[in-house]
Amino acid sequence: MSFARGLHGGADRPLSEQIYGVLREQIISGVLAPDQRLVERDLAAALDVSRMPLREALPQLEADGFIRILPRRGAVVTRLTLRDIEELFDVRESLEVLAAKLAARHAEANPDAPGIASMADYVTQARDNLACGNDRGAAAANAAFHQALVQLPEHRLLTRMMAPLAGRLEWLFRLTADRDIHGQCTEHEAMLTAIRAGNTDLAGALAFAHVASGREPSLRSLADVLPAE
């Protein structure tokens, strides 16, 4: 097992951040399985790094919900549950609606804000990936759209509150890649149009409808995959 490919290429990023990114992707993709114990010696060998930057990456993975650090067992990959998914939707229905409203207000005052172009790019990427049959790439682009939505208003507190959810959101989108991604892209385009127009009420309403409409289909598709608790 080796995860080291390309690990040292990002010279502008600390090694611990690169390790975090690699392990995060391995967990989301299922290469590192739920409840799997992460043995520092084995991971360091697979990543071709010393244990020090690995140990620096583990607390961030725990903070973002990807692993649990247990007494006498060490780091263990998180097993998502249906309750986790329910709670994720509960939080999203509040915070992403707020993000959409703030994004529309920001766009009205700053119509050339670069975040608007980023959101449009992610919609295009999602559609391009769908056209190529790359559901995984489309799911990643949709997750990135939601991250860009949160970042657009430049609201520091909201950004900090939503940061731990970004990985779980991509994890959710990856797990539910068989959902109607075309429909999700259409809803993203409508949200983006309302944000560009500076229509805060419409942007918020579309964001709520977008998140809420995904709850039951997601839970239904994961009912045979995830435990209830």
Side-chain angles (χ1 to χ4, degrees):
M1 177 175 65
S2 176
F3 305 147
R5 182 179 178 185
L7 186 62
H8 301 279
D12 58 331
R13 296 171 58 210
L15 185 55
S16 61
E17 287 187 15
Q18 297 181 53
I19 292 170
Y20 166 86
V22 170
L23 294 179
R24 175 184 184 273
E25 172 57 28
Q26 298 305 315
I27 292 170
I28 290 175
S29 65
V31 174
L32 293 173
D35 296 328
Q36 180 175 338
R37 184 168 172 244
L38 303 183
V39 181
E40 281 189 10
R41 179 187 63 253
D42 296 342
L43 279 180
L47 293 164
D48 191 23
V49 297
S50 68
R51 294 193 191 185
M52 184 61 70
L54 174 60
R55 288 172 180 164
E56 292 173 354
L58 293 181
Q60 187 60 51
L61 287 165
E62 183 181 32
D64 289 352
F66 291 109
I67 66 172
R68 295 169 295 145
I69 299 179
L70 305 175
R72 295 183 297 279
R73 286 198 68 194
V76 177
V77 176
T78 296
R79 177 176 291 278
L80 284 179
T81 67
L82 293 177
R83 178 176 177 176
D84 291 327
I85 303 302
E86 282 270 22
E87 291 179 353
L88 179 59
F89 274 98
D90 289 340
V91 173
R92 290 180 62 205
E93 283 181 2
S94 293
L95 293 186
E96 288 195 35
V97 171
L98 174 61
K101 289 182 175 181
L102 292 173
R105 187 175 72 184
H106 183 79
E108 184 176 26
N110 304 274
D112 296 323
I116 298 173
S118 295
M119 292 174 69
D121 286 343
Y122 291 130
V123 171
T124 301
Q125 287 177 30
R127 289 210 178 277
D128 289 346
N129 277 295
L130 282 175
C132 298
N134 184 0
D135 289 350
R136 174 175 166 177
N142 277 343
F145 175 91
H146 285 266
Q147 287 181 254
L149 168 66
V150 171
Q151 293 165 357
L152 175 58
E154 300 179 2
H155 194 287
R156 293 172 297 179
L157 180 57
L158 178 63
T159 300
R160 285 197 298 271
M161 292 173 68
M162 287 293 292
L165 303 183
R168 288 202 172 208
L169 190 57
E170 184 173 349
W171 205 351
L172 170 65
F173 285 168
R174 196 80 64 86
L175 287 169
T176 57
D178 58 340
R179 280 187 55 215
D180 180 13
I181 303 181
H182 288 281
Q184 293 177 49
C185 290
T186 299
E187 291 172 7
H188 286 172
E189 288 169 339
M191 289 166 58
L192 180 57
T193 298
I195 288 168
R196 275 177 162 155
N199 191 330
T200 57
D201 290 340
L202 180 58
L206 290 171
F208 180 83
H210 174 65
V211 174
S213 67
R215 182 190 291 260
E216 287 306 318
S218 295
L219 291 170
R220 200 163 49 243
S221 70
L222 295 174
D224 296 328
V225 179
L226 302 181
E229 290 283 349

